[in-house]
Amino acid sequence: MGILTVVLWSCSGQRVSPPWDSPAISNQEHQRGLVFIHTGSSLYSLPCSPAEMEVANVTYHWVQDKAVPKRFSVTREGHLLFRHFQASYSGMYSCTISYMKQGVPVSQTFHYSIFGYHVLGGLDILLLFHSKLCEDKLSRWFIRSLHNKLMLLKIEQHFQLQTISTFCFPPPHTSSDEFIFQVQLEVSLFGPHWDEDCNPQDTATLTDCYHTTVQHNI
């Protein structure tokens, strides 16, 4: 009985490992670039892999580079889900997908650089009310009442609101007994949970949500 010996060489003269000497585990690293998330986003969802993978029994593992309390959750599909994203959540995130391929453990790791941003600007609103009196006690009561009503609107429409100043003065160039009570407000259109009606899995829908939010809140 003859013995068949197989020796593999590369063109450079170096020995090539045969298939049965292949490593038992396959690891791949992928750099996915930058991801920008608007601060205040409540349902931003980032998939572990940029493409759907047709494999069974997949496990997902997300890690963050900072030694801080966990600020995210992972969905069953392996998506990274932020709740009320803050600029301080920015940093390097990595997701490892692990599965079996033809009996061999396989893992792929995807690296993301995540940055929080905020759309500057908003609305400067000046409210003018007519009053028979201009007393401090009455002014404080009116401001409290107005503030409570605006807080309900703020919760409903998910904007941020700040009272800049209040001022009571007689109308110019008139002899009327009425006074003018002025309230200046600063409004940001992107308050907490501004995107709760958006679909976090759909980038196109999320983009449209910016325009809808602005138009609705204005």
Side-chain angles (χ1 to χ4, degrees), residues 43-153:
L43 294 174
Y44 191 93
S45 176
L46 179 66
C48 183
S49 168
E52 293 292 333
M53 303 184 65
E54 298 294 334
V55 292
N57 300 322
V58 181
T59 60
Y60 304 93
H61 181 62
W62 282 92
V63 295
Q64 184 184 9
D65 63 338
K66 298 179 181 178
V68 295
K70 192 174 182 180
R71 293 163 171 169
F72 56 83
S73 59
V74 180
T75 68
R76 177 181 294 182
E77 298 79 16
H79 292 238
L80 184 69
L81 184 62
F82 288 101
R83 299 187 183 278
H84 191 31
F85 187 88
Q86 301 298 305
S88 59
Y89 298 178
S90 302
M92 299 295 298
Y93 290 78
S94 299
C95 178
T96 299
I97 302 176
S98 301
Y99 55 94
M100 299 293 293
K101 184 176 181 180
Q102 298 178 350
V104 176
V106 176
S107 66
Q108 297 190 52
T109 301
F110 299 88
H111 302 281
Y112 298 91
S113 299
I114 295 180
F115 293 91
Y117 74 97
H118 177 63
V119 176
L120 298 177
L123 301 176
D124 291 323
I125 300 177
L126 186 66
L127 305 178
L128 299 177
F129 302 91
H130 292 274
S131 173
K132 292 292 185 182
L133 299 173
C134 196
E135 300 176 352
D136 289 342
K137 183 178 180 180
L138 178 63
S139 298
R140 288 195 298 270
W141 172 86
F142 178 74
I143 287 297
R144 275 199 311 271
S145 176
L146 178 64
H147 181 268
N148 292 337
K149 293 181 182 300
L150 289 175
M151 287 305 100
L152 295 176
L153 191 61

Side-chain angles (χ1 to χ4, degrees), residues 37-45 71 73 80-86 158 191-198 200 206:
I37 304 178
H38 193 289
T39 55
S41 297
S42 58
L43 294 174
Y44 191 93
S45 176
R71 293 163 171 169
S73 59
L80 184 69
L81 184 62
F82 288 101
R83 299 187 183 278
H84 191 31
F85 187 88
Q86 301 298 305
H158 310 295
H193 308 292
W194 68 269
D195 61 341
E196 71 170 9
D197 294 328
C198 304
L206 191 60

